[in-house]
């Protein structure tokens, strides 16, 4: 059985010392979240996560969800846990006070999301999807739609979903077939089938608000002809009370590799009543608000699964006795040494630790950009934050989830054969993690978004700003941070990759996109680790009662710069090879 404890000390380090969130007290939301309040929120989140959600993780995996006559029942304990979750106000933590939310900073919401997701990914998805759906309605809905749907969604009485994928249509939404026929009262009749709909039907909330992409009769072909509709499970009266059941049903539940505690539904819309969100044929513009929110959330899922798997791997490695350490017995009084004394286990644990702590810094940094891009009074700051967020979103979604698969696999490896056995609980982390590189746009799609679109957007303004930020750090702290030289080398690799892709043809760009994303992510993590080791060094120099914490931070940083960051050179080499070898085989030669 696995356990989870929120890594509160490291979270405080990132929020307080690395990002210095107290310095933004003049922005909306931040004034209500001073350090003592932030710490109290994280502590309470940790208690709920370790005491309630984590024990249900295996329960949800074992029991899954059941479908009977169109109604889905969640695993034992999930309904009570959801009631506790909503009564404590977690669903409205960062939502607008105008609709009943607490209006706290998004960066704090990222930290809380990490805690809840580490404890129980399947459970956390119910609220996470609702958050994204509410954001989309807040962005594109009418005044009446916001007033009607947002308060109960923010309260958690209603949940939300995102309905894009169809049996024949995944990433290429231009092939979408679902239809929306106008009705006399201004509503629409929605017909079609959607698949892979997380939390599409369940017993946790009174109502489910589906956001559905469909085509109007006069829609032009392709993605320019897609509209977005609110389709409630139960129709909603003008006063907010629930009306009759809508013509939307869960036709079946997918049998899946992981996330068994969250129902993945086939949803059938048979003349369901829907309400247009935004302008006709402009549905993707609004839906991308939810999709971008979801992509960051999935990146956090990757971080969270790696974090909990690492925690359990460390605990096991400290307890398990097996063999003798290289160079002689470390504990001669015992029949064998702890496996944490073996260099190969140390290597695996440090790979996990370097990603988890670096990934935490990176995702929280992205969360801060969300706040700055929306709340800062200076238009230049908002633009710079929006540029950086645009780069970080595909990077975090793809790199963090790729690393989640790698780190959960390494955590299993630390357990040896016990990691492969279900009773230890470790294999669930890997099964759950495997969905994260797939949904909300596969990681290959994220790489193409970065290399083919974001890189050249606004004449490359975002990537130029990012390169300058890394270069400025190196120039400012070369004398204080020994690892700056390694970061400079990695930055040079990234500059060379950017220069190559600036003139590469479409095939070469597509062939090098994944390597480019990983190269960029390694440099972004390198910037975080350089900053963290700078802070740790200063703390140690002035004298601190937490010397072991800061020493461990510097040691992990050294491991990252010595053993992981040099991979940028390999990625650059592969980018420069273009697409020739990849295209050398004809389809019938595979």
């Amino acid at each position: 059985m696995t356990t989870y404890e929120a890594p509160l000390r490291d979270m405080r380090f990132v929020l307080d010392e690395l990002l210095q969130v107290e310095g933004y007290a003049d922005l909306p939301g931040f004034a209500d979240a001073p350090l003592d309040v932030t710490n109290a929120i994280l502590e309470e989140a940790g208690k709920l996560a370790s005491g309630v959600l984590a024990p249900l993780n295996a329960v949800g995996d074992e029991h899954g969800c059941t479908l009977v006559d169109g109604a889905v029942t969640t695993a034992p304990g999930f309904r009570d846990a959801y009631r506790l979750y909503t009564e404590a106000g977690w669903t409205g933590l960062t939502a607008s006070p105008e609709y009943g939310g607490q209006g706290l900073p998004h960066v704090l919401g990222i930290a809380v999301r990490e805690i809840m997701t580490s404890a129980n990914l399947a459970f956390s998805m119910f609220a996470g999807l609702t958050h994204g759906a509410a954001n989309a309605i807040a962005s594109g809905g009418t005044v009446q739609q916001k007033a009607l749907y947002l308060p109960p969604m923010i309260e958690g009485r209603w949940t939300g979903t995102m309905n894009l994928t169809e049996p024949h249509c995944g990433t290429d939404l231009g092939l979408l077939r679902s239809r929306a026929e106008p009705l006399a009262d201004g509503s629409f009749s929605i017909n079609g089938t959607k698949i892979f709909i997380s939390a599409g039907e369940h017993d946790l909330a009174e109502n489910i608000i589906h956001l559905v992409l469909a085509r109007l009769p006069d829609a032009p072909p392709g993605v320019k002809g897609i509209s977005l509709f609110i389709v409630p499970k139960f129709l909603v009266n003008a006063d907010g009370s629930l009306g009759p059941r809508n013509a939307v049903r869960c036709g079946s539940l997918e049998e899946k590799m992981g996330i068994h505690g969250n129902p993945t539904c086939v949803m059938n819309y048979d003349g369901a009543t829907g309400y247009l969100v935004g302008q006709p044929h402009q549905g993707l513009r609004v839906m991308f608000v939810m999709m971008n929110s979801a992509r960051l959330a999935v990146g956090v899922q990757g971080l969270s699964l790696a974090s909990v798997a690492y925690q359990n791997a460390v605990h096991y490695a400290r307890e398990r006795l097996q063999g003798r350490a290289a160079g002689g017995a470390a504990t001669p009084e015992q029949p064998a040494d702890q496996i944490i004394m073996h260099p190969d286990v140390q290597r695996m644990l440090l790979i996990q630790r370097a990603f988890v702590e670096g990934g935490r810094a990176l995702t929280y940094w992205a969360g801060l950009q969300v706040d700055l891009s929306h709340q800062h009074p200076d238009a230049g700051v908002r633009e710079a934050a929006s540029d950086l967020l645009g780069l970080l979103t595909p990077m975090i979604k793809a790199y963090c989830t790729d690393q989640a698969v790698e780190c959960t696999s390494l955590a299993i490896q630390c357990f040896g054969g016990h990691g492969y056995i279900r009773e230890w609980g470790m294999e669930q982390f890997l099964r759950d993690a495997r969905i994260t590189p797939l949904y909300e746009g596969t990681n290959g799609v994220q790489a193409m978004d970065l290399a083919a679109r974001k890189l050249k957007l606004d004449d490359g303004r975002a990537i130029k700003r990012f390169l300058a930020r890394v270069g400025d750090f190196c120039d400012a702290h070369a004398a204080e941070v020994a690892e700056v030289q390694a970061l400079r080398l990695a930055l040079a690799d990234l500059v060379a990759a950017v220069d190559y892709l600036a003139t590469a043809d479409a095939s070469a760009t597509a062939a090098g996109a994944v390597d480019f994303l990983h190269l960029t992510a390694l440099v972004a993590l390198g910037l975080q680790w350089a900053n963290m080791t700078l802070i740790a060094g200063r703390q140690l120099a002035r004298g601190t009662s937490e010397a072991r914490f800061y020493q461990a931070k510097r040691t992990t940083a050294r491991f990252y710069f010595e053993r992981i960051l040099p991979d940028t050179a390999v990625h650059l080499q592969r980018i420069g090879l273009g697409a020739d070898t990849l295209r050398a085989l004809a389809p019938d030669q595979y």
Side-chain angles (χ1 to χ4, degrees):
M1 177 66 71
T2 59
T3 60
Y4 174 70
E5 292 293 332
L8 299 178
R9 180 62 188 93
D10 199 59
M11 290 178 164
R12 290 196 298 268
F13 171 80
V14 174
L15 293 170
D16 303 350
E17 299 182 63
L18 181 64
L19 299 181
Q20 300 179 354
V21 293
E22 272 206 314
Y24 300 99
D26 56 334
L27 297 185
F30 284 84
D32 297 323
L35 292 184
D36 59 337
V37 172
T38 294
N39 291 339
I41 289 172
L42 294 178
E43 287 173 6
E44 288 304 312
K47 291 176 184 177
L48 178 65
S50 61
V52 177
L53 302 187
L56 289 176
N57 195 40
V59 175
D61 186 58
E62 179 180 356
H63 290 269
C65 300
T66 56
L67 174 66
V68 178
D69 296 330
V72 170
T73 301
T74 52
F78 270 51
R79 290 190 67 183
D80 288 340
Y82 187 76
R83 176 180 54 78
L84 291 173
Y85 186 89
T86 56
E87 287 177 354
W90 294 111
T91 51
L93 189 71
T94 61
S96 170
E98 182 179 359
Y99 301 105
Q102 299 169 51
L104 295 177
H106 190 81
V107 64
L108 176 58
I110 291 282
V112 170
R113 177 169 288 178
E114 182 201 335
I115 292 173
M116 302 302 185
T117 306
S118 293
N120 194 321
L121 169 60
F123 179 90
S124 72
M125 290 170 64
F126 291 99
L129 289 160
T130 305
H131 178 80
N135 283 346
I137 294 172
S139 172
T142 64
V143 172
Q144 292 79 10
Q145 287 172 341
K146 294 175 188 179
L148 193 62
Y149 295 105
L150 291 182
M153 293 176 75
I154 288 169
E155 188 181 346
R157 288 191 293 112
W158 300 355
T159 60
T161 72
M162 176 168 55
N163 286 236
L164 288 77
T165 307
E166 299 181 1
H168 62 284
C169 163
T171 300
D172 188 358
L173 290 173
L175 301 176
L176 186 144
R177 295 175 185 163
S178 293
R179 308 296 297 179
E181 299 288 340
L183 300 175
D185 64 357
S187 65
F188 296 81
S189 175
I190 311 298
N191 291 274
T193 296
K194 300 290 185 177
I195 64 171
F196 302 158
I197 308 306
S198 298
E201 166 63 24
H202 58 81
D203 59 352
L204 301 186
E206 299 172 1
N207 204 3
I208 303 173
I209 307 304
H210 303 290
L211 295 187
V212 182
L213 292 179
R215 292 186 182 280
L216 293 167
D218 62 344
V223 296
K224 294 183 179 180
I226 299 175
S227 300
L228 179 64
F229 300 87
I230 292 173
V231 186
K233 175 181 174 179
F234 289 96
L235 296 175
V236 183
N237 298 318
D239 63 358
S241 62
L242 297 184
R245 177 71 185 259
N246 207 351
V248 51
R249 291 288 190 278
C250 175
S252 63
L253 295 180
E254 302 291 356
E255 295 290 335
K256 303 171 293 185
M257 180 178 182
I259 55 170
H260 296 157
N262 192 280
T264 302
C265 304
V266 175
M267 301 300 296
N268 296 318
Y269 294 85
D270 298 311
T273 300
Y275 307 93
L276 182 68
V277 181
Q279 297 300 311
H281 320 313
Q282 300 295 316
L284 277 185
R285 182 175 301 176
V286 181
M287 184 60 91
F288 263 107
V289 173
M290 183 172 186
M291 290 174 69
N292 284 329
S293 173
R295 286 170 177 173
L296 278 178
V298 173
V300 175
Q301 289 177 359
L303 163 66
S304 301
L305 289 166
S307 178
V308 66
Y310 167 70
Q311 279 190 23
N312 284 273
V314 169
H315 179 75
Y316 182 82
R318 287 172 176 163
E319 298 293 327
R320 178 70 168 176
L321 301 180
Q322 204 77 176
R324 287 300 185 186
T331 53
E333 72 281 2
Q334 298 189 93
D337 291 327
Q338 302 160 311
I339 64 171
I340 203 168
M341 303 303 297
H342 297 301
D344 188 53
V345 175
Q346 294 165 343
R347 175 189 64 84
M348 292 188 289
L349 291 175
L350 275 167
I351 290 172
Q352 295 169 67
R353 183 186 180 102
F355 165 67
V356 168
E357 295 187 5
R360 181 171 295 124
L362 189 64
T363 54
Y364 290 18
W365 189 38
L368 179 60
Q369 305 316 307
V370 175
D371 290 311
L372 296 179
S373 65
H374 287 96
Q375 304 287 6
H376 203 282
D378 188 317
V381 174
R382 293 198 303 273
E383 179 187 87
S386 182
D387 280 354
L388 181 56
L389 185 62
L391 287 180
L392 290 177
T393 296
M395 191 190 313
I396 286 173
K397 193 283 177 185
Y399 186 77
C400 289
T401 57
D402 282 345
Q403 291 304 303
V405 174
E406 173 68 14
C407 289
T408 52
S409 180
L410 285 173
I412 289 173
Q413 192 74 17
C414 291
F415 275 71
H418 291 296
Y420 197 70
I421 302 303
R422 187 167 189 177
E423 69 175 289
W424 288 84
M426 294 300 292
E427 50 85 39
Q428 183 189 343
F429 296 137
L430 178 56
R431 287 188 289 104
D432 285 353
R434 194 58 190 86
I435 185 60
T436 61
L438 298 173
Y439 59 11
E440 307 306 343
T442 65
N443 286 359
V445 170
Q446 305 304 317
M448 282 299 294
D449 178 44
L450 182 65
R453 180 173 174 270
K454 298 288 178 60
L455 185 62
K456 300 174 183 179
L457 198 64
D458 297 317
D459 195 30
R461 185 179 70 200
I463 192 66
K464 290 173 184 175
R465 281 176 161 164
F466 176 73
L467 296 174
R469 184 188 290 261
V470 180
D472 290 346
F473 181 92
C474 292
D475 292 342
H477 302 293
E480 199 172 357
V481 180
E483 291 82 3
V484 157
Q485 182 57 29
L487 185 56
R488 283 192 193 279
L489 292 174
L491 177 61
D493 289 338
L494 179 54
V495 170
V498 170
D499 290 344
Y500 173 82
L501 292 176
T503 58
D505 62 25
S507 294
T509 298
V514 169
D515 280 295
F516 179 71
L517 185 144
H518 278 239
L519 196 166
T520 309
L522 286 169
V523 173
L525 281 170
L527 177 62
Q528 302 307 312
W529 271 116
N531 211 337
M532 288 190 286
T533 197
L534 172 69
I535 295 167
R538 289 176 175 175
Q539 289 283 11
L540 291 168
R542 70 170 56 104
T544 172
S545 60
E546 295 183 289
R548 287 175 59 81
F549 174 84
Y550 293 106
Q551 287 165 354
K553 189 68 69 176
R554 295 194 72 182
T555 299
T556 309
R558 189 167 73 248
F559 177 86
Y560 179 82
F561 285 108
E562 291 178 356
R563 298 291 190 105
I564 298 177
L565 187 60
D567 285 351
T568 58
V570 178
H571 290 300
L572 176 61
Q573 181 182 24
R574 289 200 288 248
I575 292 168
L577 294 174
D580 291 348
T581 304
L582 299 184
R583 305 184 72 181
L585 290 180
D588 63 357
Q589 288 180 289
Y590 280 91

